[in-house]
Amino acid sequence: MSFAFTVRCAGFGAILSVLASGGLAPAAHAEDVTLTVWSHEADEPAKVVFRNKAAADLEKSHPGLQVKITWYEKDGLYTALRTALPAGRGPDVFYLEPDQMHQYVTAGYIMPLDNLVNWNQIYPWAREVWQENGKTWGIPQEVNLNVIFYNKDWLQKLGVSLPANQQFGQAAFLDLIVKARAAGMTPIAQGVGDRPYPGAYILGEALLHKLGKDDYGKLWAGKLSFADPRVVAVLTWVKQLADAGAYPKDFMTMKLGESFYYFYSKPGALMLPMGSFYSGRAFAPPDKGGQPADFPAGVMLFPAMDGGACNNCETSGIGSSFVINAASKHPKEAAAFLDAMSTPEMAQMWINDVYEPAAMKTTAQGFSGPHAAYLDAVMGSQKGIEYFTGMPLDVIQQGQCKDAFAQVLNSAFPGGLLSVDKAVPTMNAACFGH
Amino acid sequence: MPPALDTRLPESRGHRGAASRQSATDGWRPPIATLALFLAPAILVYAGFTAYPVVRTFYNSVHLVGPNGAAEFVGTGNFSTALFADPVFWTAVRNTAIFTVVGTTVDVFGGLLLALCLFVKVPFTRSLRVIWFLPVLMSYVVVGIIWVWIYDYEWGVVNLLLRAVGLGTLAHSWLGNPDTALWAVMVTHLWKWLGFNMIVFLAALHALPAEVLGAAELDNCGWLAKLVYVIIPMLRPTLVNLMVLSFVGKMMIFDLVWIMTQGGPLWSTETVSTYVYKRAFDWNTFDLGYPSAVAVLWFLIIITFVVVMSLLLRQRDRLEF
């Protein structure tokens, strides 16, 4: 075998490679742009339809532009981003939530949007959540309001009436849990099998009520000790709930989606503490895991705490949001896609089809559609409410504290595996003073 | 023209043939370019997907790795943090050690036991061989999901059976209790891998010389004595290889734990691999330095144990049969 033969082989191989890679395919138009988008919420059909419509609208108004959306679940998306972005292979636009903002801004992976998108379409308070270092980094879509969904028929069966302000007191709520258990009902459908936060809904809101917004923020920022008597009082109350059997026995392994089904279908539960993104799963068709058409869902506020500093406080969070990759070669097209998802018409579609409060402004008055009553109930419960923006995991910045939150306050403590005496030092060791 | 008939003795023919082949290759060396061309794909794949990540992990382990790969040298800082200031790391080490020691022992000797059952042809041998080997063919994801269901408190098979036989008080959340979660994951792991060890042992058992086993029987050697003094010594190389393989696999266990418990509850199933993943991808930081240091530490520990195991278990007197 000679060198010349080798070269001929190599040359032939090279030709084959060129052919295989489409070298003889028709050349693309110079103005053609493919905008890549990575989105979470693959399992929420209404949101998939919403974003696909925005993409289709944009393609129609921008000939030559193609929007390619890749759908993920959240964990998979975040893992993919963490490997793709440092390698310079990230998408132009991607889904992100505000709890991730700090690290992405620090890393320089997302670009400021202040001068890129049309902020007249977004509520200023929702925009504020995405601000850091005086710049705005993400465009919000979903507004979460933390409430407790409950089964009206079951509450009636227990002979309990919801107070006019839709909020039980501390003792009454504990009594409700005890009564439900005695009647053979699961009081609260909740599981932490695949999420680091649902187990702490009751605890988090109780802490917010007891401490008020400022001290509550300090607690998650590591500036208030978990040994503070007010925190200990709340932990003691939550421990009483857990010991009274508030949560299902498979609390540790139940997944978020399963907890919805548990609540409104089988085996059923009295309550489901959840963000208002409840609708994303609940209003899917019943044969795809949605709630039965005649399910008597009601909305109540989280219980008031004895001596609470702010019993009319409530956590509101910004959920679904999108950002632009700082390395994107098509920032204008990317911004156009963000704008296309934020028009008043799209905002109305979000409210009517996704059934969630929107961060985008809409001109329409009231709600319509088959589940309008749901939004009326959620929004009707919000009179006189003061909002604390951000779930605990949005506010905690330090990794060790986040991990301790997920393991202790989200799962082991409400799961009844830890006493207050053990939970306090564990949380302090991970969070306080860091 | 037909070739002339070679009437020389085979030995001389073979010798001559070898010599002529040797002389034919003496004057020819494959061109470097040809070698490079054929080796390049494999070398590139190896360098890109094996060598570079390993070297990069070692490099990262002594750096604080910032965004876009920017690195600040921190020397042994990451290692000392892991060893002296990180309780979760030590919890993960303890869990992994329990998982590895218990798992390897049960895995290997359980596999041997199943293989012996099939070797002595217990009833339904053919069906049992298929049934016991089937889990090996399933993916970890499927196995993990199935066993999460099996362990479910409300409707899982384990608790349903306990309730059915009047032991309902023993029913509990197997994966939700720190006292049972690690063992529950381990049972699942063993269920999946026993069949693999069984099939390897079965092949080794069938390769044993019938004369030796027959001679043992002629010497009135009982079943247990034959197992201990004849079969197991002859299976020793297989045993050692399976132990090392099983040991390494369990030291790196990740997927099953991640699917079933994600290291919870309360870090009771946290393994070193799940912890490395969490530190790398779940800690709201792009720093890969610390997780790389933990990975390097663990790599060195695994290598040390494998070498020690191989030295301790190696066969000094070679058995010939």
Side-chain angles (χ1 to χ4, degrees):
Chain A
M1 190 187 295
S2 67
F3 180 71
F5 175 73
T6 306
V7 170
R8 277 199 301 276
C9 283
F12 184 63
I15 291 166
L16 280 179
S17 303
V18 170
L19 289 175
S21 65
L24 297 183
H29 295 295
E31 69 274 18
D32 280 356
V33 169
T34 299
L35 193 71
T36 51
V37 180
W38 289 3
S39 177
H40 164 46
E41 298 171 329
D43 68 340
E44 296 191 42
K47 290 179 183 171
V48 172
V49 171
F50 174 88
R51 287 173 196 145
N52 281 338
K53 182 181 184 313
D57 288 350
L58 186 68
E59 285 173 348
K60 215 170 171 182
S61 60
H62 291 67
L65 176 66
Q66 276 195 319
V67 182
K68 187 183 168 197
I69 305 181
T70 305
W71 296 95
Y72 286 89
E73 273 303 293
K74 197 191 283 182
D75 286 348
L77 171 66
Y78 284 174
T79 305
L81 287 171
R82 281 171 172 279
T83 46
L85 291 172
R89 309 287 296 172
D92 296 297
V93 176
F94 53 91
Y95 177 103
L96 206 67
E97 290 180 8
D99 66 312
Q100 305 285 315
M101 170 174 56
H102 179 70
Q103 57 171 322
Y104 280 77
V105 170
T106 309
Y109 288 141
I110 53 180
M111 66 171 65
L113 305 180
D114 299 86
N115 301 319
L116 274 175
V117 301
N118 179 5
W119 288 106
N120 292 326
Q121 299 185 137
I122 305 293
Y123 288 112
W125 51 265
R127 179 182 176 179
E128 275 173 28
V129 176
W130 268 104
Q131 287 180 329
E132 183 168 309
N133 303 336
K135 292 174 181 166
T136 317
W137 303 91
I139 196 156
Q141 283 180 346
E142 177 187 57
V143 177
N144 283 322
L145 304 171
N146 284 357
V147 291
I148 300 178
F149 296 94
Y150 72 98
N151 184 324
K152 287 179 181 172
D153 289 353
W154 283 24
L155 191 70
Q156 201 174 10
K157 219 181 272 180
L158 289 174
V160 177
S161 305
L162 185 65
N165 67 351
Q166 296 181 272
Q167 188 178 42
F168 284 108
Q170 191 173 321
F173 193 79
L174 176 59
D175 189 46
L176 180 64
I177 299 291
V178 173
K179 274 187 180 158
R181 262 295 164 210
M185 297 175 185
T186 299
I188 299 174
Q190 203 105 71
V192 296
D194 62 342
R195 293 289 195 279
Y197 62 84
Y201 268 122
I202 297 274
L203 174 65
E205 295 300 309
L207 285 168
L208 174 59
H209 292 172
K210 187 81 173 180
L211 299 174
K213 289 197 279 187
D214 288 347
D215 281 356
Y216 180 71
K218 284 180 190 168
L219 182 72
W220 302 128
K223 293 173 184 163
L224 181 72
S225 168
F226 281 82
D228 183 287
R230 295 169 297 166
V231 178
V232 172
V234 169
L235 288 170
T236 305
W237 175 71
V238 172
K239 178 72 175 143
Q240 286 174 331
L241 297 181
D243 291 346
Y247 296 102
K249 293 278 188 184
D250 46 2
F251 170 77
M252 290 293 184
T253 50
M254 193 191 296
K255 297 190 163 110
L256 186 76
E258 292 168 351
S259 68
F260 281 65
Y261 190 78
Y262 192 114
F263 169 58
Y264 49 62
S265 287
K266 208 172 167 185
L270 178 62
M271 294 178 277
L272 174 68
M274 194 52 63
S276 48
F277 61 85
Y278 170 82
S279 52
R281 286 181 175 82
F283 298 152
D287 60 339
K288 289 184 177 169
Q291 73 179 28
D294 56 351
F295 181 73
V299 175
M300 69 168 85
L301 300 173
F302 282 87
M305 293 290 103
D306 296 343
C310 185
N311 278 325
N312 62 332
C313 278
E314 181 178 295
T315 300
S316 76
I318 292 295
S320 311
S321 306
F322 282 86
V323 297
I324 299 178
N325 185 349
S328 170
K329 290 179 180 145
H330 313 294
K332 280 185 185 167
E333 289 81 357
F337 178 61
L338 299 188
D339 282 341
M341 288 194 289
S342 310
T343 62
E345 294 75 28
M346 291 303 288
Q348 195 57 37
M349 181 183 179
W350 180 274
I351 291 167
N352 288 346
D353 295 355
V354 180
Y355 298 106
E356 285 184 30
M360 302 85 80
K361 291 178 187 171
T362 170
T363 49
Q365 297 292 314
F367 309 118
S368 61
H371 299 290
Y374 158 80
L375 269 174
D376 282 332
V378 171
M379 298 315 290
S381 70
Q382 302 298 302
K383 287 171 191 137
I385 293 291
E386 282 183 48
Y387 294 107
F388 177 89
T389 306
M391 298 280 286
L393 285 174
D394 298 340
V395 185
I396 299 171
Q397 294 296 339
Q398 205 258 344
Q400 191 184 1
C401 186
K402 271 183 193 277
D403 192 35
F405 177 89
Q407 294 275 356
V408 176
L409 299 186
N410 175 55
S411 64
F413 185 69
L417 301 175
L418 271 186
S419 65
V420 175
D421 291 344
K422 285 192 177 167
V424 167
T426 308
M427 288 308 298
N428 268 345
C431 303
F432 183 49
H434 291 289
Chain B
M1 193 169 74
L5 186 65
D6 189 349
T7 56
R8 282 170 292 126
L9 291 172
E11 289 86 350
S12 97
R13 214 166 46 218
H15 183 74
R16 167 83 185 274
S20 80
R21 274 198 303 275
Q22 194 179 357
S23 65
T25 55
D26 271 351
W28 184 80
R29 292 278 181 276
I32 297 294
T34 307
L35 280 176
L37 181 68
F38 282 97
L39 287 177
I43 288 174
L44 281 175
V45 168
Y46 180 80
F49 293 103
T50 304
Y52 174 72
V54 170
V55 171
R56 182 71 198 209
T57 302
F58 273 83
Y59 173 85
N60 284 349
S61 69
V62 291
H63 288 84
L64 184 68
V65 183
N68 294 313
E72 176 194 335
F73 183 72
V74 293
T76 57
N78 287 330
F79 293 96
S80 54
T81 304
L83 290 172
F84 305 115
D86 188 350
V88 179
F89 170 70
W90 284 108
T91 304
V93 169
R94 193 198 63 195
N95 292 337
T96 313
I98 293 171
F99 196 95
T100 303
V101 172
V102 178
T104 301
T105 308
V106 178
D107 206 6
V108 173
F109 289 101
L112 177 61
L113 200 66
L114 295 187
L116 286 169
C117 288
L118 298 183
F119 188 62
V120 299
K121 302 242 180 329
V122 294
F124 309 111
T125 293
R126 284 184 170 211
S127 308
L128 288 176
R129 185 166 53 191
V130 174
I131 291 167
W132 287 342
F133 188 69
L134 213 56
V136 179
L137 304 176
M138 298 166 76
S139 84
Y140 258 133
V141 178
V142 174
V143 169
I145 291 170
I146 288 174
W147 277 84
V148 167
W149 290 343
I150 287 174
Y151 287 131
D152 188 89
Y153 179 82
E154 305 277 359
W155 42 266
V157 175
V158 176
N159 286 344
L160 285 181
L161 282 176
L162 285 171
R163 289 181 193 119
V165 297
L167 295 172
T169 49
L170 294 179
H172 69 284
S173 177
W174 299 94
L175 292 171
N177 185 330
D179 295 333
T180 54
L182 185 66
W183 302 100
V185 176
M186 202 185 299
V187 166
T188 307
H189 184 80
L190 294 172
W191 178 82
K192 177 168 166 55
W193 282 114
L194 270 181
F196 175 79
N197 291 340
M198 173 202 76
I199 223 74
V200 176
F201 274 125
L202 192 60
L205 282 169
H206 282 299
L208 293 181
E211 317 84 75
V212 178
L213 299 177
E217 279 166 19
L218 283 175
D219 288 341
N220 266 342
C221 192
W223 182 87
L224 187 65
K226 196 164 75 174
L227 176 68
V228 174
Y229 298 113
V230 180
I231 295 177
I232 290 183
M234 287 198 292
L235 287 180
R236 189 168 170 145
T238 309
L239 200 71
V240 171
N241 284 336
L242 283 179
M243 283 190 91
V244 170
L245 279 178
S246 181
F247 176 87
V248 172
K250 284 166 183 57
M251 288 284 270
M252 298 190 301
I253 183 78
F254 171 80
D255 25 23
L256 191 65
V257 176
W258 194 252
I259 290 157
M260 295 182 78
T261 62
Q262 297 197 348
L266 272 182
W267 302 283
S268 62
T269 58
E270 195 80 82
T271 64
V272 174
S273 298
T274 57
Y275 187 51
V276 167
Y277 178 86
K278 279 185 186 173
R279 291 299 302 244
F281 298 110
D282 274 358
W283 270 53
N284 275 21
T285 162
F286 284 94
D287 174 36
L288 291 176
Y290 186 78
S292 297
V294 175
V296 166
L297 264 179
W298 204 237
F299 169 75
L300 296 175
I301 289 170
I302 291 176
I303 289 279
T304 308
F305 271 97
V306 168
V307 170
V308 169
M309 274 175 76
S310 302
L311 288 175
L312 287 177
L313 297 173
R314 75 177 170 182
Q315 198 141 16
R316 287 175 183 80
D317 304 316
R318 187 177 171 77
L319 289 176
E320 290 193 4
F321 51 84

